[in-house]
Amino acid sequence: MESSDLGGRQQGPIWHRKPGPAARRGVIVNIIHSAKGYHSKTIRFLNVAFDSSGDSLLAGDHQGNIYVFDLNGNRFNLVQRTMQACTALAFNLRRKTEFLVALADYSVKCFDIETKELVSWMRGHDSSVSSISVHGSGRYAITTSTDTAQLWDLDTFQRKRKLNVRQSVGIQKVFFLPLSNTILSCFKDNSVFAWEFDTLRCKYQLPTPVEGSVLLYKVFAVTRDGRIFVAGGKSNHLHLWCLESKQLIRIIQMPAKVRAVRHLEFLPDSFDGGSNQVLGVLSQDNIMRFIHIETCKLLFDIGSHEEGISTAAISPNGRYIASVMENGSLNLYSVQALTQEGNKPPPPMFKAVEDSSKCTSEANKLTMRVTSGRSEWPWKSKGSKIQTRLLKLQVNTSLENKENELPGGLNKKRLWALLKGFGEYPAKYRMFVWRSLLQLPENHLAFSSLIDKGIHSAFVNIQNEYPIKSMKLLRVLQRTLSALAHWSAIFAETPYIPLLAFPFVKLFQNNQLICFEVVATVVVNFCQHWFEYFPNPPVNVLSMLENVLAHHDKELLQHLITYSVTSQVYAWPLLETLFSEVLTREEWLKVFDNIFSNHPSYFLMIVVAYIICSRAPLLHCNQTADFEYFFHHRNNLDINVVIKEAYHLMEATPPDIHPQHMLDDFIPLTKGQYPVFNKYPKFIVDYQTQERERIRQDEIEYLRERQLAHELEAKAQERKAEDEAWYRKQELLREAEEQKRKMLLEEEEKLVEQRQRLAAVKRELKVKELQFLDASRRRFLKYQQDQHQMELKRLDDEIARKASMREQETAATVQDVEVRWMELESQRQLFEQHLIKDQDAVTKEMKEEVDACRRKVDLEDHLVQRLMEIDREEKQKAQIVAEENLAKAEQKHIDADWRLQVLHKLRCDDQDREKRYEEIAKLLHDNRVKEAELLKAMREAEEKKWEEVIQKKAQLEEEQKAAAAADEHRKRFLEDKMNDALELAEKLQSEGGYFERLRDLKARRTERGAELQQVPRCGNVCLNDLSASESSSHMSLDRRREELACQERELMAEVRRLRQKLTSRARTRYPPTRFPATKWTP
C-alpha cells in the first residue's frame, strides 16, 4: 500500500507508482494531509464525492481545504480554501467544472475548479446541511438539513421551493431518484413520500413496515435504475422496497456484529443495466461490508477495527471506492482487486449472510436467518405479507436503551459499563464520547457572534500573566476566555477562569467551538454555586466538602484545623484548577472520564477522595507553606484509588450532607442560543468592572506619561550628545585655529615686504576707487531725483483721475435726481389723468341716469296720455271729470313720494362725496408729511376708491331695483284706479243725481288745481304739467353737475399747489450742486 502525504503542496502527483489489481486489501493509495510546525498534526478529511464520470474525486477536510483528485491523470489540485469545515460535497452534473460544498455555517457555496472563484453563495438553512442531491439534468439540486429541505435552481442559484416539517418529526434525507423526475423524502418517523418534481404533488407514500419491526430508518440507498430502495438504521436489519409495486419485498439481516448501519450505497456494474445487486453496508464497527442482495452472500469488506471507515463514496463507473478513515486519512480502493467472484443465479429468498473470504468457522458466525416463507423471487411473490423465521426482535431492550441514548449513536448504559470495566474511555474516542456525554449543541451562529465581538479588554495582555510558548495555544485561550467574558460579565472578573479553562483549551485547540461549549458546560453544571460569594471563594461549596470530610475522616480534618488550614487551602486550589496542577495528563483525562459520566456532585467527591487518599503525608505536615505546596504540586498518588474512593464516598455519604441533594442534575446547553448565566452578585461584578476600567484608563494615562517621559529623556540624551559633539568640534577647531595662526604669523612676516611694495600701488588704486565711488554716488543721486519726479507726476495724474471720476459721479447723481424728479412729475400727471377719467366716468354715469329717468318719465307720460285718451272717449263728462280728479289726486301722491326719493338719493350722494373729499384731504395731508410714501398712499387711496365705487354701484343697483319696484307698483295702482273709475262711472250713469255729483267733482278739481299751482315752488312735479317738471328736473341736475365739476377742479388745483410746495421745499433743503463752466478742448 502506497501512502501519499499532501503536506503543504497545492498540487502534485497522487501516487508515484500505481499498484496493480493484486494490491493488499485492494488499497491503491492512502492519502494523508499532515501539517508541519511546532505541533505536527494530521488534518482530517471529512467528505468525499465522485463526478459523473467516476474519474475525478472531490475531498474536503475539517479546515475547509477542498482538493480535486484526477485518478486518470494521477494529479491532485487544491481548488479552494473555505476556512471552515464542510458537511457535504457534490459535483454539478451540467457544468463539469463546478462543484457544490455545504459548510459549517449552514450555507452552500458553488465554486469553479478551473478559475477557483466563487460562483454563488446560497443561504437559507438554520442547521448544518447533511446531503446534497443533484438532478440528472444538472439544473436542480436539493440540500437537506434536519429541519428543512430546499430545492435550488443551479442556473440562477435561486431557491424554488422549501420543505418544512414539524420539529418533532425531522427530516432524514431528501434526494432525486435516478432516471426519473421523482423526489423521495424520508423522515425520522419512518415515513417515505414520493413527489412529482414538476408539480411537487405527492405521488405515493410507502406503507409502514411489517408489524413488530423496531427498525428506525436513518440511511438510504437506491439502485441506478431507481427501482429498488434500501433503508437501514439502528439495527442489523435492512428493508428492501420495490418502488414500482410500493411493497416491502425483503428483509436482510446482517451479522450479529452489526448493531447499527451508518451508510448504504450500491456498487454499480457495467453489465447490470442499472439494477445493482451489490450493496455496500457501513456499520457501527467502521467496517463496510459488500453483500449480494439476492444471494445474501458477503462478497468482501473493507476497513477493520484498527483502520475504521468513517464514510465512503463509490464511483459511478464502479471502478473505485473512496473512504474517509477514522484517523482522518483517505483510502482509495480498486473494486477489481476486491471482487472475488461474479454474479450467481439468485437462490431462494431465505438466505444467510456468508463470509466467503474468511474461514468456515467465521462464516458460521456471520450466518443469520433472513425473513421469508418460501424460496421464490421477491417481485413474483403473490402474498403481501412477509413471514419471518428465527428473527428475535429486541423491543424491550430498545425501550430501555431509549432513555440512555446519547447524541452520536452512543448509549449511556454501555458507556458506563465500559468505564467500569476499563476505568477510562478509549483515548481514540474520548473526545467523541465527551461531546456525547455533555450533549454539546454546537451553536455555530451564537459562537460566531461571541467571537466577532473581538478580544475582551480583560484578556488583552493575558500573555504577561500566563506566558505560553505556543502562540496558537495562547490565541485559542485568549479567544475562548473572551467568548466566555462576552457571554457573561462574571468571567471577565474571575481570576481563576484561565486556570479552569486551560486544560480544555489544550485538548480542543483545533476546534474552538467545542472548546468553548465544553468549558461553558463545565461552568454551568460542575461549578454550581461557585460565584454566589464572588469575589470570595465559594464558601457554600467548600462547606459541603468540609462536611463530607468531617463525616469520613474527622482526625484529618482536626489536624488541618489545628494548623489553621482551611478549605480555601486544601480544597479550593483543586477546584479552581480542576486538578490540572496535581495530576498528569493521563490521570486528568481518566478523572474527567468519570466526572462527565456521573452526577455533578461526583466532582466534589473526587476532591474529598483526593484529600483522604493523601492522609498520610498531610498528617506529617505542620507548616502552612507545606500544605499550600502539597495542593499546588503533583504527588505520588494512585489515581485509580482516588476514583474508587470517590465512588465509595458517593454511596457512603448520608443524604443530609450529600452534595447530590444540594446540586442540580446535569443540564446541557440549549441549542440555538446559549443560556443566560447570571448566578452571581451583579453589583460586585459591575463595581469591579468599573474599577478595572478606571484602572485601565489610569494605566493608559500612566503609560502615556511614561512614554512621554521616555521621549523627553531620549531627547535630553540626544541634546546632550549633540552638545558634547559640538564641544569636541569646537576644541578641534580651536586647535586648528592655533596652528593656522602660527602659519599666518610666518606668512605675515614674509608678506610684510610685499605689503610695503604694494602700498604705493594700493594708494593709487584707492584714489581711483574714491573717484569711481564719487561718480557712482552722483549717478545714484540723479537716479533717485528722477524717481521722485516720476512718483510726483504719477500722484498728480492719480489726483486728476480721481477728481474727474468724482465729477462724473456727481454729474451722474444729478442726472439720477433729475430723472427721479421727472418720474415723480409723470406720476403726478398720470394721477391727474386718472382723476379726469374717473370724473368723466362719473359724469357719463350721471347722464345715463338722467336719460333713464327721462325715459321713465316719457313712458309714464305715454301711459297717462293713453289713459287720457281713453277718458276723452268717454261719453259721460261726469265720468271723465271724476276720473281726472281721481287721477290727479293719485298722481299728486305719487309725485310727492318720488320727490322724497330723489331728495333722499341726492342727500346720500352728497354724503358720499363729502366722505370721498375727506379721504382725498387725508391723502393730501399724508403726502405733505411723507413724500417718500406718495406712491403707496396713492395705491391705498385707489384701492379704497374702488371699494367705495363697488359699494356705490351696489347701492345704485339696490336703488334701481327699488325704483323699478315702485314703477311697477305705480303702474298696477294706476290700472286699479282706472278700473275703479270706470266702474264708478257706470254706477253714476245708472243712478240719479248725476249732475250734482259732477258739480262736486268740478269743485274738488278746482281746489286740487289751486294746490298743484303751488307744487312747482317746492320743486315737485305732477302729471298735468309735464314740461314744467321736466324743465325743473333738468335745471336741478345741471346745476348739481356744475357744482360737482367746480369742486373737483378746485380739489385738483389744491393738489397741484401742495405738490409745488413740496417740490420747492425739497429743492431748498437739498440745493443742486453747481459745476464750474467747462469747455471742450481739441
Side-chain angles (χ1 to χ4, degrees):
M1 180 180 67
E2 183 174 353
S3 179
S4 176
D5 188 359
L6 304 182
R9 298 179 297 164
Q10 295 188 3
Q11 57 184 357
I14 304 175
W15 54 76
H16 296 286
R17 186 174 66 179
K18 185 175 181 180
R24 187 176 70 87
R25 298 187 59 82
V27 179
I28 298 176
V29 65
N30 173 251
I31 303 172
I32 62 174
H33 185 192
S34 63
K36 304 295 184 181
Y38 183 79
H39 293 286
S40 298
K41 61 178 181 179
T42 299
I43 300 176
R44 299 172 56 85
F45 285 100
L46 297 178
N47 290 280
V48 290
F50 281 95
D51 66 348
S52 58
S53 65
D55 295 329
S56 292
L57 175 65
L58 197 67
D61 58 27
H62 75 275
Q63 289 190 354
N65 301 315
I66 309 296
Y67 291 90
V68 171
F69 298 90
D70 184 2
L71 303 182
N72 284 341
N74 187 24
R75 300 288 297 177
F76 75 88
N77 188 15
L78 176 63
V79 294
Q80 195 55 240
R81 295 181 187 270
T82 61
M83 305 308 293
Q84 50 184 325
C86 63
T87 58
L89 291 171
F91 273 96
N92 190 334
L93 302 180
R94 192 173 187 179
R95 293 180 290 275
K96 305 298 183 181
T97 61
E98 294 181 0
F99 66 91
L100 303 174
V101 54
L103 301 175
D105 62 352
Y106 312 152
S107 65
V108 180
K109 293 184 179 180
C110 179
F111 294 100
D112 192 280
I113 295 175
E114 295 179 352
T115 62
K116 299 182 181 181
E117 294 181 353
L118 176 66
V119 178
S120 180
W121 192 349
M122 296 173 281
R123 292 177 176 271
H125 285 279
D126 296 329
S127 59
S128 61
V129 177
S130 58
S131 67
I132 301 175
S133 176
V134 182
H135 190 260
S137 64
R139 185 176 177 183
Y140 302 99
I142 294 177
T143 57
T144 307
S145 60
T146 57
D147 56 350
T148 181
Q150 302 187 14
L151 176 64
W152 303 89
D153 188 339
L154 296 184
D155 289 341
T156 61
F157 294 100
Q158 298 293 324
R159 185 174 65 190
K160 294 179 65 67
R161 290 296 179 92
K162 182 178 181 181
L163 175 63
N164 291 320
V165 296
R166 295 192 305 271
Q167 190 175 5
S168 60
V169 178
I171 301 176
Q172 290 288 7
K173 190 175 182 180
V174 180
F175 56 95
F176 289 105
L177 284 182
L179 305 178
S180 67
N181 284 333
T182 304
I183 299 175
L184 212 61
S185 61
C186 309
F187 301 96
K188 292 183 178 180
D189 59 353
N190 278 16
S191 59
V192 180
F193 291 86
W195 310 84
E196 186 68 33
F197 171 67
D198 298 330
T199 61
L200 292 178
R201 181 179 57 83
C202 182
K203 296 176 63 176
Y204 57 84
Q205 178 185 0
L206 295 182
T208 56
V210 294
E211 297 180 1
S213 176
V214 295
L215 175 60
L216 296 178
Y217 293 164
K218 287 188 176 294
V219 290
F220 313 90
V222 181
T223 57
R224 302 288 172 174
D225 58 1
R227 295 180 178 179
I228 303 300
F229 171 70
V230 182
K234 289 186 177 181
S235 174
N236 61 350
H237 291 178
L238 298 177
H239 287 188
L240 269 70
W241 294 83
C242 178
L243 295 181
E244 291 181 345
S245 62
K246 290 84 176 175
Q247 296 293 329
L248 180 65
I249 59 175
R250 181 169 299 176
I251 297 178
I252 298 177
Q253 188 171 1
M254 295 297 292
K257 295 181 180 180
V258 178
R259 295 193 301 272
V261 179
R262 294 168 52 188
H263 183 69
L264 291 173
E265 190 164 359
F266 278 98
L267 179 63
D269 192 348
S270 303
F271 305 101
D272 59 4
S275 58
N276 311 130
Q277 300 297 317
V278 179
L279 176 65
V281 182
L282 178 62
S283 58
Q284 91 289 342
D285 58 358
N286 301 327
I287 298 176
M288 192 167 187
R289 299 171 174 85
F290 288 83
I291 63 171
H292 197 285
I293 60 175
E294 297 297 333
T295 63
C296 297
K297 285 187 178 181
L298 177 63
L299 302 180
F300 60 88
D301 59 17
I302 57 176
S304 63
H305 294 289
E306 293 77 16
E307 297 180 356
I309 297 176
S310 176
T311 184
I314 303 176
S315 63
N317 55 16
R319 296 173 57 189
Y320 302 104
I321 300 174
S323 64
V324 178
M325 311 304 290
E326 283 294 319
N327 58 9
S329 63
L330 182 65
N331 274 8
L332 187 64
Y333 295 89
S334 173
V335 177
Q336 182 182 358
L338 293 171
T339 306
Q340 296 295 333
E341 59 183 68
N343 297 327
K344 293 182 178 181
M349 193 171 179
F350 299 99
K351 291 292 181 181
V353 176
E354 299 177 359
D355 188 356
S356 60
S357 63
K358 297 186 179 181
C359 60
T360 308
S361 60
E362 292 180 354
N364 293 333
K365 294 180 180 179
L366 293 175
T367 302
M368 292 294 291
R369 297 296 183 182
V370 188
T371 58
S372 177
R374 292 175 298 177
S375 173
E376 58 183 13
W377 291 94
W379 46 83
K380 293 182 181 179
S381 60
K382 299 179 180 179
S384 60
K385 289 187 178 181
I386 298 178
Q387 300 178 2
T388 61
R389 186 161 55 90
L390 299 178
L391 180 63
K392 296 181 180 180
L393 302 178
Q394 303 173 355
V395 179
N396 298 330
T397 306
S398 63
L399 293 175
E400 293 176 0
N401 293 340
K402 189 173 182 180
E403 298 179 356
N404 297 319
E405 286 184 358
L406 294 174
L410 300 181
N411 187 282
K412 193 172 182 180
K413 203 169 185 180
R414 293 177 180 175
L415 289 177
W416 178 256
L418 180 65
L419 184 64
K420 280 292 186 181
F422 295 94
E424 60 180 338
Y425 294 123
K428 186 177 180 180
Y429 303 103
R430 176 177 279 117
M431 300 302 107
F432 176 70
V433 171
W434 282 14
R435 290 169 61 178
S436 299
L437 288 173
L438 299 179
Q439 302 178 32
L440 303 183
E442 298 186 16
N443 300 326
H444 291 273
L445 294 178
F447 179 70
S448 298
S449 65
L450 294 175
I451 290 296
D452 292 341
K453 294 180 181 180
I455 303 301
H456 197 276
S457 59
F459 305 108
V460 173
N461 300 319
I462 193 174
Q463 65 274 9
N464 298 332
E465 187 175 357
Y466 300 97
I468 302 175
K469 293 181 180 180
S470 174
M471 294 304 296
K472 176 185 177 182
L473 190 61
L474 178 63
R475 287 194 300 271
V476 174
L477 177 63
Q478 197 174 32
R479 291 176 183 172
T480 304
L481 295 178
S482 299
L484 288 171
H486 291 309
W487 176 41
S488 181
I490 183 66
F491 300 120
E493 308 298 329
T494 307
Y496 56 85
I497 199 68
L499 301 174
L500 186 144
F502 181 74
F504 299 104
V505 171
K506 198 169 182 179
L507 281 176
F508 300 97
Q509 57 182 319
N510 293 326
N511 195 331
Q512 298 182 30
L513 170 63
I514 300 301
C515 176
F516 170 79
E517 292 188 349
V518 168
V519 176
T521 305
V522 169
V523 170
V524 171
N525 291 280
F526 299 96
C527 300
Q528 299 181 33
H529 309 294
W530 279 29
F531 307 98
E532 295 178 358
Y533 293 91
F534 182 82
N536 300 316
V539 181
N540 48 355
V541 177
L542 297 178
S543 298
M544 294 185 213
L545 296 174
E546 191 170 356
N547 292 335
V548 175
L549 181 61
H551 180 269
H552 292 282
D553 199 337
K554 295 182 180 179
E555 181 183 357
L556 178 59
L557 179 61
Q558 186 61 39
H559 176 73
L560 296 174
I561 295 173
T562 303
Y563 293 99
S564 302
V565 178
T566 62
S567 57
Q568 297 184 16
V569 176
Y570 63 80
W572 180 236
L574 302 177
L575 291 175
E576 66 179 356
T577 61
L578 299 182
F579 292 94
S580 60
E581 288 184 347
V582 298
L583 298 178
T584 63
R585 175 186 173 88
E586 291 73 17
E587 293 174 346
W588 188 87
L589 293 173
K590 185 180 293 187
V591 166
F592 271 87
D593 284 343
N594 290 271
I595 290 174
F596 288 156
S597 301
N598 287 277
H599 191 270
S601 60
Y602 183 79
F603 180 40
L604 303 181
M605 291 303 185
I606 281 283
V607 176
V608 179
Y610 185 87
I611 298 172
I612 293 175
C613 292
S614 304
R615 185 172 187 275
L618 289 176
L619 290 175
H620 288 85
C621 295
N622 52 14
Q623 298 291 332
T624 305
D626 296 340
F627 288 102
E628 293 177 353
Y629 180 87
F630 183 86
F631 289 105
H632 282 282
H633 293 80
R634 295 178 183 175
N635 304 288
N636 297 325
L637 196 64
D638 188 0
I639 197 62
N640 295 321
V641 176
V642 175
I643 294 173
K644 291 180 181 179
E645 181 65 22
Y647 282 114
H648 172 70
L649 296 176
M650 287 286 289
E651 296 174 358
T653 303
D656 55 343
I657 62 172
H658 201 295
Q660 186 173 1
H661 298 281
M662 304 173 190
L663 300 179
D664 298 332
D665 293 337
F666 178 82
I667 301 174
L669 298 179
T670 56
K671 192 171 183 62
Q673 294 291 334
Y674 296 116
V676 177
F677 189 82
N678 56 1
K679 299 177 181 180
Y680 58 88
K682 192 173 183 302
F683 66 94
I684 296 179
V685 175
D686 294 342
Y687 174 74
Q688 289 196 353
T689 303
Q690 295 173 2
E691 286 297 312
R692 177 176 277 107
E693 184 65 22
R694 183 184 61 80
I695 293 171
R696 191 174 67 85
Q697 294 295 335
D698 294 343
E699 184 178 358
I700 292 172
E701 183 66 22
Y702 165 72
L703 292 175
R704 187 182 64 80
E705 292 178 356
R706 189 174 68 177
Q707 182 68 21
L708 184 60
H710 288 330
E711 292 177 357
L712 292 176
E713 184 179 358
K715 289 181 179 179
Q717 293 292 338
E718 184 180 358
R719 193 178 297 108
K720 183 179 180 181
E722 290 177 355
D723 294 343
E724 292 178 356
W726 185 80
Y727 283 123
R728 285 195 301 269
K729 188 176 180 180
Q730 292 299 322
E731 186 67 25
L732 294 174
L733 289 175
R734 188 167 58 254
E735 293 176 358
E737 186 179 359
E738 290 294 335
Q739 294 177 1
K740 293 293 183 182
R741 188 177 293 112
K742 292 177 181 179
M743 293 173 64
L744 287 174
L745 288 174
E746 294 175 358
E747 292 294 331
E748 284 179 357
E749 291 176 356
K750 293 177 182 181
L751 294 176
V752 167
E753 296 177 0
Q754 295 179 2
R755 287 178 181 176
Q756 290 176 359
R757 287 194 301 267
L758 294 175
V761 179
K762 284 184 179 180
R763 280 193 296 271
E764 292 177 2
L765 292 175
K766 193 68 174 176
V767 171
K768 291 180 180 180
E769 185 179 358
L770 291 174
Q771 290 176 359
F772 178 74
L773 289 174
D774 188 27
S776 298
R777 184 178 60 79
R778 290 177 182 176
R779 184 178 178 184
F780 182 71
L781 290 174
K782 185 178 179 181
Y783 174 75
Q784 283 186 341
Q785 290 177 359
D786 294 341
Q787 286 292 104
H788 287 312
Q789 289 178 0
M790 290 176 65
E791 186 68 21
L792 291 173
K793 186 177 180 180
R794 187 181 64 79
L795 291 174
D796 292 339
D797 294 342
E798 185 70 20
I799 291 170
R801 186 177 63 80
K802 288 185 178 179
S804 63
M805 289 178 63
R806 190 178 295 109
E807 291 176 358
Q808 291 176 3
E809 291 176 356
T810 306
T813 305
V814 171
Q815 290 178 0
D816 292 340
V817 171
E818 290 179 355
V819 169
R820 179 62 179 167
W821 182 79
M822 292 171 68
E823 289 178 356
L824 293 174
E825 185 66 23
S826 64
Q827 290 178 0
R828 181 185 62 78
Q829 293 177 1
L830 183 63
F831 181 67
E832 290 178 357
Q833 290 177 3
H834 285 314
L835 289 177
I836 292 170
K837 289 180 181 179
D838 294 340
Q839 182 63 34
D840 293 341
V842 171
T843 303
K844 187 176 180 180
E845 290 177 359
M846 292 296 297
K847 287 181 180 180
E848 290 176 355
E849 290 177 357
V850 172
D851 292 339
C853 292
R854 286 179 180 178
R855 286 194 296 271
K856 289 180 182 178
V857 170
D858 293 339
L859 182 60
E860 291 177 356
D861 291 343
H862 179 69
L863 292 174
V864 171
Q865 289 293 334
R866 187 176 178 182
L867 290 173
M868 290 176 66
E869 288 176 359
I870 292 172
D871 291 339
R872 290 190 189 96
E873 291 177 357
E874 295 287 335
K875 295 179 181 180
Q876 300 295 334
K877 292 182 180 180
Q879 184 179 358
I880 293 172
V881 173
E883 186 178 355
E884 289 178 355
N885 292 334
L886 182 60
K888 287 180 181 180
E890 293 298 330
Q891 186 63 34
K892 184 176 180 181
H893 181 265
I894 291 169
D895 291 342
D897 293 337
W898 182 77
R899 288 187 182 93
L900 290 174
Q901 291 177 2
V902 170
L903 289 174
H904 178 70
K905 185 176 181 181
L906 292 175
R907 188 163 55 252
C908 291
D909 292 339
D910 293 340
Q911 291 177 359
D912 292 339
R913 287 188 180 87
E914 288 177 1
K915 291 179 180 179
R916 191 160 55 249
Y917 295 155
E918 289 175 1
E919 292 175 357
I920 293 172
K922 185 177 180 181
L923 290 173
L924 292 174
H925 177 70
D926 295 334
N927 287 335
R928 294 191 199 97
V929 177
K930 297 181 179 178
E931 184 179 2
E933 299 179 357
L934 179 60
L935 293 176
K936 183 177 179 181
M938 291 172 66
R939 292 192 187 96
E940 293 178 354
E942 184 178 358
E943 291 177 358
K944 291 181 180 180
K945 287 179 181 179
W946 279 111
E947 292 177 357
E948 292 175 358
V949 167
I950 293 171
Q951 293 177 359
K952 295 299 184 297
K953 285 183 179 179
Q955 292 178 1
L956 181 59
E957 290 176 357
E958 292 178 357
E959 293 293 338
Q960 288 176 354
K961 291 180 181 178
D967 292 342
E968 186 67 25
H969 181 267
R970 185 167 62 253
K971 288 179 183 179
R972 288 197 301 270
F973 181 76
L974 288 174
E975 290 176 358
D976 294 339
K977 292 298 181 183
M978 289 294 294
N979 294 331
D980 294 340
L982 292 174
E983 291 176 358
L984 182 61
E986 291 176 358
K987 289 180 180 181
L988 289 175
Q989 287 179 2
S990 61
E991 293 178 0
Y994 168 76
F995 294 102
E996 293 178 359
R997 292 182 182 177
L998 182 61
R999 192 167 47 250
D1000 294 335
L1001 288 171
K1002 287 181 179 180
R1004 292 178 181 175
R1005 182 178 180 182
T1006 54
E1007 292 177 359
R1008 290 179 181 175
E1011 292 177 357
L1012 290 172
Q1013 289 177 359
Q1014 296 177 0
V1015 170
R1017 296 178 185 177
C1018 300
N1020 296 330
V1021 181
C1022 67
L1023 294 175
N1024 290 333
D1025 195 359
L1026 294 174
S1027 61
S1029 63
E1030 183 178 355
S1031 61
S1032 63
S1033 62
H1034 279 302
M1035 289 175 64
S1036 62
L1037 290 172
D1038 291 339
R1039 186 166 54 253
R1040 191 63 178 171
R1041 190 182 300 110
E1042 289 176 359
E1043 290 178 358
L1044 289 172
C1046 231
Q1047 290 177 0
E1048 288 177 358
R1049 285 195 294 273
E1050 290 177 358
L1051 184 60
M1052 292 302 298
E1054 183 66 23
V1055 170
R1056 293 191 189 94
R1057 285 195 300 275
L1058 290 172
R1059 287 184 176 177
Q1060 289 175 1
K1061 287 181 181 180
L1062 292 172
T1063 305
S1064 60
R1065 189 180 303 168
R1067 288 180 179 177
T1068 54
R1069 288 182 180 178
Y1070 307 102
T1073 57
R1074 299 182 178 276
F1075 301 98
T1078 59
K1079 63 179 180 178
W1080 297 95
T1081 58

